Amino acid sequence: MSAAKKLSIGWIGAGRMGYEMAARLARGGAEVLVWNRTKEKALPLTKYGAEVADEISELAARDIVFCMVSTWKDVKQVVTNLLKGKSKPKMVIECSSISLEGSAELRQILESRKIAYLAAPVSGNAKVIKAGKLTFVCSGPKKAFDLARPYLDLIAVNSSYVGEGELSRIVKICHNVFLGVVTQSLAEITVLAQKAGVPRHAFLAFINQSVMGSTFTRYKAPAFVNLDFKVTFTPQLLRKDMDLGLDAGRRFEVPMPLASATRDLIQSMIGQGWTEQDFATLLLQQAEMSGLKLKSENKEVSDGLS
Ligand SMILES: NC(=O)c1ccc[n+]([C@@H]2O[C@H](COP(=O)([O-])OP(=O)(O)OC[C@H]3O[C@@H](n4cnc5c(N)ncnc54)[C@H](OP(=O)(O)O)[C@@H]3O)[C@@H](O)[C@H]2O)c1
């Protein structure tokens, strides 16, 4: 906490993830100046003591600037705008899920301006952040990681340092390929069990207590049982990550048959126009492909987070 007061923080991006991450930093006592393309979304952060900037350039004089936007194209755009003036931060911590190549290009841009760069993607959704269970995977200079650690600790329960360069990017890409494949698999077996006569709440209660249950299967259970598909992560962002995984598979010559099939099932969902709800609508698509019409079971189901 006391260390957290020493450095000033700039925060780019107050979307689903960025908002909750910045909120934890501000509530933890850090001095945070937030910029979001749509300013109104960032304004409620003032209740935690954060300030909101009109222009992204106002963040350039901060010691550390975090970035949490969408794709590499968006990251490049905001960082270019951040560095247009004379001021520059000491460090940029980039948390969006982007490619190894994008991250390497960003490192070159920042290091040529003598700005330290930590690649720091995350595991967990907005609800996980609120529950204090987010995790970071970080790569870049160890010195930068050590300097950033008190701030990372205000946001997340754990931060793993995996080495130099862009190594954290491949870890995150692998993680999200697993997320896609596990979600599709969970959808298939849930529909199979239901079509054979087992209610979803009973099936998932067993799976979640079995050796195959996980933090993830537990926190997706309420959505699967009660068909609440309010967005935590969009199908489009998951498709981006599956594509990043398949690109990396091609680059490193690793066959990824499950990832490939899952990517196309996500594509099929998007192609049918299912883009405004959570990616867990993979369950609905699976049910449709199985001739099953799902209804909410209206059961109280724990998400395992609280
Ligand atoms: N949601 C999850 O569960 C989750 C988990 C782990 C990692 N991630 C990753 O975290 C990142 C953010 O995800 P999210 O779910 O928070 O997405 P989101 O809710 O769609 O938020 C995206 C944010 O990026 C901003 N943005 C996008 N393009 C921009 C541009 N060109 N210029 C300026 N700002 C731009 C948006 O600004 P506006 O508000 O103006 O649109 C918004 O603040 C993604 O890389 C995603 O893959 C997400």
Side-chain angles (χ1 to χ4, degrees):
M1 250 294 256
S2 55
K5 288 203 167 124
K6 283 187 199 152
L7 299 176
S8 58
I9 308 291
W11 190 283
I12 301 172
R16 285 181 196 91
M17 298 295 287
Y19 181 93
E20 295 300 341
M21 292 166 79
R24 284 191 74 87
L25 257 186
R27 282 163 65 190
E31 201 187 290
V32 190
L33 178 62
V34 184
W35 176 85
N36 193 55
R37 180 177 58 184
T38 313
K39 187 179 175 189
E40 300 71 55
K41 284 203 217 163
L43 291 175
L45 285 166
T46 53
K47 66 176 175 266
Y48 305 119
E51 289 177 90
V52 177
D54 289 316
E55 302 294 334
I56 195 169
S57 55
E58 294 171 44
L59 273 60
R62 295 267 144 166
D63 295 314
I64 297 181
V65 174
F66 282 84
C67 176
M68 186 54 150
V69 288
S70 298
T71 64
W72 161 233
K73 195 173 119 268
D74 305 314
V75 171
K76 191 170 179 179
Q77 196 175 71
V78 295
V79 172
T80 304
N81 290 338
L82 174 76
L83 299 178
K84 267 194 179 142
K86 280 195 189 123
S87 308
K88 57 173 192 175
K90 291 188 178 69
M91 190 193 310
V92 168
I93 302 181
E94 207 305 301
C95 307
S96 324
S97 304
I98 60 171
S99 63
L100 291 153
E101 293 80 4
S103 192
E105 193 180 329
L106 181 60
R107 188 170 300 284
Q108 209 181 19
I109 294 169
L110 293 170
E111 289 181 355
S112 71
R113 300 275 310 259
K114 302 215 172 341
I115 301 167
Y117 168 46
L118 199 63
V122 299
S123 168
N125 62 25
K127 216 169 164 191
V128 172
I129 303 169
K130 270 192 188 161
K133 293 186 177 167
L134 188 80
T135 52
F136 279 104
V137 55
C138 304
S139 61
K142 180 68 169 41
K143 240 172 88 179
F145 175 70
D146 291 339
L147 189 70
R149 191 68 202 252
Y151 305 94
L152 302 177
D153 286 351
L154 289 178
I155 303 170
V157 66
N158 187 55
S159 300
S160 305
Y161 176 75
V162 292
E164 293 290 329
E166 317 325 317
L167 290 177
S168 62
R169 299 297 182 182
I170 192 67
V171 175
K172 171 62 187 172
I173 289 169
C174 292
H175 170 284
N176 269 31
V177 166
F178 191 43
L179 170 72
V181 170
V182 166
T183 307
Q184 174 58 27
S185 179
L186 195 64
E188 288 173 21
I189 58 172
T190 303
V191 167
L192 175 63
Q194 180 173 348
K195 217 171 168 192
V198 188
R200 296 190 300 281
H201 70 274
F203 175 67
L204 291 170
F206 166 71
I207 289 288
N208 286 340
Q209 292 307 318
S210 77
V211 293
M212 297 309 296
S214 67
T215 304
F216 175 72
T217 64
R218 283 186 280 278
Y219 76 61
K220 272 298 169 208
F224 268 38
V225 172
N226 295 325
L227 309 185
D228 171 6
F229 295 116
K230 181 169 177 285
V231 175
T232 65
F233 187 41
T234 61
Q236 295 91 322
L237 285 178
L238 180 58
R239 177 181 60 183
K240 158 187 69 89
D241 292 345
M242 299 305 287
D243 284 337
L244 290 175
L246 293 171
D247 282 349
R250 272 188 287 280
R251 174 170 164 192
F252 293 100
E253 300 295 358
V254 175
M256 300 178 72
L258 295 180
S260 201
T262 304
R263 189 264 174 217
D264 276 354
L265 286 158
I266 297 163
Q267 179 65 73
S268 140
M269 195 166 66
I270 294 171
Q272 294 180 71
W274 297 7
T275 53
E276 304 307 313
Q277 299 184 87
D278 193 59
F279 73 101
T281 46
L282 279 169
L283 177 75
L284 297 183
Q285 173 171 259
Q286 183 62 37
E288 246 180 38
M289 291 193 299
S290 314
L292 191 65
K293 184 103 188 99
L294 297 188
K295 286 198 190 107
S296 166
E297 292 182 348
N298 290 319
K299 292 272 172 202
E300 213 165 286
V301 182
S302 163
D303 62 9
L305 289 174
S306 28

